[in-house]
Amino acid sequence: QVQLVESGGGLVQAGGSLRLSCAASGRTFSSYSMGWFRQAPGKEREFVAYISQYGSSKSYADSVKGRFTISRDNAKNTVYLQMNSLKPEDTAVYFCAARPSGFYGNAEVAYNIWGQGTQVTVSS
């Protein structure tokens, strides 16, 4: 089974950029669609971005559309989240998650493998 490890979080000033990475172990990475979620302090975890198994389909939360870009490199078993024009309200723990084939939608329940999360803090 795939295991996920996020990296790339940190502290950045508003307007800055970060690129998150999510490295997957296992040989079946390309069989999973991938998503990024985030959880801010005191709030529910929310969907951020989605990418299909080979990258042909992507979707974003309205709050990040035009600022964040999701991509993947199946040869490296890695999915990325490029975050530009960061805002203080983007501060959260960011999680990557894997959605197996046969499941649809971007609700958390559709994703059955989760990373441990990486903290992103945006200062004003």
Side-chain angles (χ1 to χ4, degrees):
Q1 187 174 1
V2 169
Q3 293 183 318
L4 305 174
V5 178
E6 302 95 335
S7 61
L11 174 64
V12 64
Q13 288 189 330
S17 298
L18 282 174
R19 188 175 83 155
L20 305 183
S21 299
C22 174
S25 63
R27 301 179 181 178
T28 59
F29 176 69
S30 62
S31 69
Y32 291 86
S33 298
M34 298 297 296
W36 284 97
F37 291 75
R38 68 185 181 185
Q39 187 168 22
K43 295 190 176 181
E44 304 261 326
R45 189 155 56 184
E46 64 177 2
F47 166 76
V48 174
Y50 156 85
I51 188 166
S52 59
Q53 293 156 314
Y54 293 95
S56 60
S57 178
K58 302 178 184 180
S59 64
Y60 299 91
D62 288 344
S63 59
V64 306
K65 205 171 291 183
R67 300 188 297 121
F68 290 11
T69 302
I70 189 170
S71 62
R72 67 189 294 164
D73 185 338
N74 286 347
K76 295 183 179 179
N77 280 11
T78 302
V79 61
Y80 304 97
L81 186 68
Q82 178 67 44
M83 306 186 296
N84 298 330
S85 303
L86 282 160
K87 304 175 182 180
E89 51 263 44
D90 295 317
T91 294
V93 177
Y94 283 71
F95 300 86
C96 68
R99 193 183 82 184
S101 59
F103 288 79
Y104 302 94
N106 290 316
E108 288 188 45
V109 294
Y111 292 79
N112 67 340
I113 302 171
W114 292 81
Q116 84 289 347
T118 185
Q119 176 70 47
V120 171
T121 303
V122 184
S123 64
S124 57

